[in-house]
Amino acid sequence: MATLGDIGLAAAINSLITFVFLFAFTILRLQPFNDRVYFPKWYIKGVRSSPTSSGSFVHRFVNLDIRSYMKFLRWIPSALKMPEPELIEHAGLDSAVYLRIYLLGLKIFTPISMLAFAVLVPVNWTNDTLLLESLKSSNLEFSTIDKLSISNIPTGSNKFWAHLVMAYTFTFWTCYVLYKEYEIIACMRLHFLASEKRRPDQFTVLVRNVPPDPDESTYELVEHFFLVNHPDHFLTHQVVYDANKLSKMVEKKKNMQNWLDYYKLKYERNSSTRPICKIGFFGLCGKKVDAIEYFTSEIDKLSKEEVTERERIKRDPKSIMPAAFVSFRTRWGAAVCAQTQQTRNPTLWLTEWSPEPRDVYWQNLAIPFVHLTVRRLIITVAFFFLTFFFMIPIAFVQSLANIEGIEEAVPILKPFIEVPFIKSFIQGFLPGIALKIFLIFLPMILMIMAKFEGFVSLSSLDRRAATKYYIFLIWNVFLGSIIAGTAFQQLDTFIHQSVNEFPRTIGIAIPQKATFFITYVMVDGWAGVAMEILRLKPLIVYHLKNMFLVKTEKDREEAMDPGSIEFAAYEPKLQLYFLLGLVYAVVTPFLLPYIMIYFGLAYLVFRHQIINVYNQQYESAAAFWPNVHGRITVAMLISQVVLLGLLSTKRAANSTPFLIALPILTIWFWSICKNRFESAFRKNPLQEAMMKDTLEHIKEPNLDLKAYLLHAYIHPIFKKLNDYENVADLDEIDHENVLVPTKRTSRKTTPVPSKHTFSPPPSLIDFCEEDKL
Amino acid sequence: MATLGDIGLAAAINSLITFVFLFAFTILRLQPFNDRVYFPKWYIKGVRSSPTSSGSFVHRFVNLDIRSYMKFLRWIPSALKMPEPELIEHAGLDSAVYLRIYLLGLKIFTPISMLAFAVLVPVNWTNDTLLLESLKSSNLEFSTIDKLSISNIPTGSNKFWAHLVMAYTFTFWTCYVLYKEYEIIACMRLHFLASEKRRPDQFTVLVRNVPPDPDESTYELVEHFFLVNHPDHFLTHQVVYDANKLSKMVEKKKNMQNWLDYYKLKYERNSSTRPICKIGFFGLCGKKVDAIEYFTSEIDKLSKEEVTERERIKRDPKSIMPAAFVSFRTRWGAAVCAQTQQTRNPTLWLTEWSPEPRDVYWQNLAIPFVHLTVRRLIITVAFFFLTFFFMIPIAFVQSLANIEGIEEAVPILKPFIEVPFIKSFIQGFLPGIALKIFLIFLPMILMIMAKFEGFVSLSSLDRRAATKYYIFLIWNVFLGSIIAGTAFQQLDTFIHQSVNEFPRTIGIAIPQKATFFITYVMVDGWAGVAMEILRLKPLIVYHLKNMFLVKTEKDREEAMDPGSIEFAAYEPKLQLYFLLGLVYAVVTPFLLPYIMIYFGLAYLVFRHQIINVYNQQYESAAAFWPNVHGRITVAMLISQVVLLGLLSTKRAANSTPFLIALPILTIWFWSICKNRFESAFRKNPLQEAMMKDTLEHIKEPNLDLKAYLLHAYIHPIFKKLNDYENVADLDEIDHENVLVPTKRTSRKTTPVPSKHTFSPPPSLIDFCEEDKL
């Protein structure tokens, strides 16, 4: 076991790494040529233009102003300065609420750790159990951290009452904070939804599984059905086309266009030889052809195919999916339709509140409803195997990727690999690499699974993938670190253990693993967050694109990748810290400060990123909060069960039975919160809808809602293709549709201020000016 | 272990008991003075009048017609003759669907047992495992039944493949039958709801937790809220008064009236001494008073109090509960309101589909919504203790109720008790009696629990109590019989066993318990059903009342207790037979015929009772079916897990892993059925509502719906009290309100045929004539 010194050293190393990352960031962000990597949000909002427009050649790329280096920490107060309402206006409610998760961590753990250090640490410290045990058996070592933990209390001591009381106090505090937070966020959500402008999804309901009719087309069928069953409220509707094939074509064409641009640029720079490429597998093999000619002809071919395909979609009745976006005259009508069952067969004419247009995941609208049950079963089984048996294929890959294998495949490398130092390095490195790659790709795999399950909005896909990732992390990281061995071995252990052995096995191991988790928090938490702010991948990709593809300012804008909060990957990871904090709060309070530092640092970093970098794909108005709340409650439950197991091994017979009420009360708390708040995130109250309707009717009695809703739910691929024909009116629609205006052309490309120009509030402008120094 | 001969003997004895009961029934039912016990349904429908009206004195009480005794089995074809649509018309959908559960049992188990006897019995029989084992150890006995069971297959044999294939076949067959049945019943329900007449609950929504308002009364508040939020559909509403106190008074007064009648009758018969009673605890102690005077004055006092209380309820705003029955112009409006959320706070203005007026459990409408969560927690904990620790208070009572205790309390009995034979009888009998009494009262206890939880309709109370009873039976009867010991000892066993030991422990015990369960089926199933048709308790109570209270024909009508299907008590018990059948289908097929006989007999008996006796309290249109379906699915799961455990102890390593897919597929089947059918039992499709509205509007354009709904949801106590003032119009309302007309005065009391007179179809009349012979 690690001593306090070891931990100190690890902390020092990790802090150093973290600071190196942060320092690199502070330097890189000041360089003008990185401007689009570190401030894309402002470009998208149109309040910042490329620095290339002014100054000398050097100034355009490197910042030589010494003063700005002096103030290299200015980004921290800048990140904290923007008040929350402005943040919501600037980046949307999702981002603002996401930040509150980190704040919630601080709110929960600050009083808990103060109390734990004031009460539990002295109680634990004033015992000699570990000292006596180590005297008895010489091979038992213990560290200062263990002296601070519950391990140091003698078996059967009455001092466990202190831990019991603390467990209750911590649970009540956590519940209190969670309840308050749920209340605040439900309120924020309702306020946000109430204060937002008119949006198409307020009036629209997504209808799925429209039954086929031999006499009518889907379009007519939908119209007739709603005219009959919602006669006073039905307004208009749009059927859904299966444009998946067309999307792929457009995607392919865009890719070809990129290659064409690259070769053209190459040819421009060196006009002596015409560029040549291979047309085989990924351009690696096959016949050599003239690249420019080849791609030009390919693009022509694709363009023609595209036109044919578009015509086919518009004409072929088979390309109309049994789904439609149905719009109503009033919000009340839409709210009613979304919440009720339409026909006696509950699998037909399924209505649900429509996601906002940019949140729709169009590919999945084409899935027939009957497939969904089968798909869900397949994914459940697949996820089970992924969680418990993911080590098997990795072990297989590892067995293939050994040094002999490499030497055989690429004989040239043989003398190089045989150098002892390199050989040992590879041997140490290779086995881990397959696992690392798997873990990096895991969120992507889970997202593919969620997509396969057939969810129709990006936000629900994110939530679903996050839930799966959380289960994976709990089982493979949390339990996997406690009980050594693969997940399947753990499963086997659990199956062969009795029910009340579960918590004991974990309970005994928990205090011993404190130092491991402290290191984990530092490596994965601290350094991970610092990596996030550095944006290494977008930095490299942007500069590569800039070098090979960018010709015009528009290209540069496209090369910019603002990214977004990857909810499905980040949220489960941060939930792990809640779990660790709650589990160790009573057992080894020494872990808490590390977690608090993580939450503080992450809050700072993500606030900066949300303000300056991320551009959210959709706005779900914090629809993810019930999941976040539920997972923290699960973490509480796990911590209570673990403590129960731990105390039962310590023979604290007097106090242990009193712990049993704790999980019951926690489950009850969860159900209260669910009853009280969850429907604010799932349903749409009629009163609110009626209020907005009435207000709108008074304000704009002559509003032409039908025209407003006409093109709202057109497949984005049609919008993109139409873009070249009649940009003006589509642009109009686009602006109206987005919840928080995020996408507009930069000043450079639209020098004349459009009528929609967004004039940022003074504080925003100050903030930007300061940053650009 | 019992041999085939033992089982034969037990079967003979139990068959005899069953036949004795049935024979007693056939004799008793033919006696005219029992007519109101065995045919109350026909009296209530008004198509049968008291036999006292004609014939000689003796003929009025005893049937002396020999011919009718010859045809004593006529009730069986009579019970089977009525076709299902007529049965639904006669007794309601609930009863008809309840009968289908028994038919479902026959449908599932007839092919299964045929297949099991054709395939599994030969496979099991052609082994000598048990013979060899019994030769090895002389103390091991085995019976012929065991030779027919899976125990006879040698460990590790390949013959287990037969059992595996059969397990799959049985599961698929059960799922198929269940799916078809669910489909049929959903269809029946929708048809029933669609074809029924106009009823108040089609237009009405129950609103609970109306928030208090300082400026408006609840009445005004509700009106304003719905006028604003459902402007086009709101029609009228009725607030709910807290009349629980008044109900109690009326109840008490009725009780007093009974006593007064009793003493008056006594005085009439023997006018020499005025009857005297004690006014203390249950009339057992206290001052002696003149009974007639005492009760007359008490009733006067109560009548006055009643009037004051009625006035108070009408005037005091505190007696108005924050709940209301809100009625709409159209069924569509009501369907919309019942399915949507009204305000942003999901715990206020809660709307749900209103139960039909006679289904409302008025007492619980007065419970504030905030109490419900707490009540539910309390009941959950209480039910846990009831299930696992019910033996503790019973053991305590048993320790008190010993012979010494009785001798001390009632010294006179001492010489009598000390007789050796009586002493040993009491000693053998007493310990069990506390348990028996508990088990008899258990459904009542569970119903009280359900009422405490705050459900507002009788049908939901029944369903809730049934679920609890099922859990109790599974744990204490099924598992309790397999693993000896109290429920708590079982729980302890399970906690200390590993997860994959669970199914093994049960799996090993299952084949050994086959003979026990065969006896259980005969005693509890066969004899229990025969007891049901005999109606011993109503028979005795009716004749006692007839002797002491009845003066007029109206009194006699009130003395008649038709009873109803006690869903909460009967359904869980019959589910136990599904469980036994499914568990033993693969293990010991010999049990199946016993269960099939039970289902057949019960079907016959309950069909007879439903036609001739029961008068349902409410009509829920088979709303209980999802519960029935769910429990049979649970039984399938249990049987699969048990088989898994059993096969794993038999080291059938080749075949066991293939069983794991079975529970997964079963759960999947359950979720498919839930998606497909459940909402037909929970929600009200808008299309149906719109169709009925349109039809009605065409048929009766001038219908005054407001007048129709005016008194629909008045507390029954007010109706009862008003009864004496203006019977005519309330009677009118009553007739309109009831779903299936069940309550009407007999011909005797209303000799002139009313305009509502129900003329039974010819077959019905035949049936009655025949029976009355």
Side-chain angles (χ1 to χ4, degrees), chain B residues 35-79:
Chain B
D35 218 40
R36 277 185 181 273
V37 178
Y38 292 113
F39 301 98
K41 181 77 177 169
W42 297 106
Y43 281 91
I44 290 165
K45 293 208 90 141
V47 291
R48 192 176 183 117
S49 61
S50 288
T52 41
S53 53
S54 64
S56 72
F57 183 78
V58 175
H59 273 97
R60 276 160 66 186
F61 294 103
V62 184
N63 187 340
L64 296 178
D65 187 348
I66 304 298
R67 278 175 304 163
S68 65
Y69 287 100
M70 302 293 284
K71 296 188 271 179
F72 68 95
L73 281 179
R74 280 297 280 272
W75 68 272
I76 296 174
S78 308

Side-chain angles (χ1 to χ4, degrees), chain B residues 207-213 218 221-222 321-324 347-350:
Chain B
V207 182
R208 299 179 74 187
N209 220 25
V210 176
D213 191 297
T218 308
L221 190 62
V222 171
M321 291 293 100
T347 62
L348 296 179
W349 295 100
L350 284 159

Side-chain angles (χ1 to χ4, degrees), chain A residues 12-64:
Chain A
I13 293 169
N14 278 291
S15 309
L16 196 69
I17 293 170
T18 309
F19 278 115
V20 166
F21 283 149
L22 290 178
F23 186 72
F25 161 70
T26 51
I27 300 301
L28 287 173
R29 72 185 267 281
L30 291 173
Q31 311 311 321
F33 70 101
N34 289 330
D35 218 39
R36 278 184 179 273
V37 178
Y38 292 114
F39 302 98
K41 182 76 177 169
W42 299 105
Y43 282 91
I44 289 165
K45 293 207 89 138
V47 291
R48 192 175 184 120
S49 60
S50 287
T52 40
S53 52
S54 62
S56 71
F57 183 77
V58 175
H59 273 96
R60 275 160 64 184
F61 295 102
V62 186
N63 187 341
L64 296 177

Side-chain angles (χ1 to χ4, degrees), chain B residues 3 115 146 279 288 368 448 468 600 626 641 709 725:
Chain B
T3 64
L115 208 59
D146 291 323
I279 57 170
K288 282 183 182 176
I448 291 167
K468 288 203 159 66
V641 170
L709 292 169
E725 292 157 25

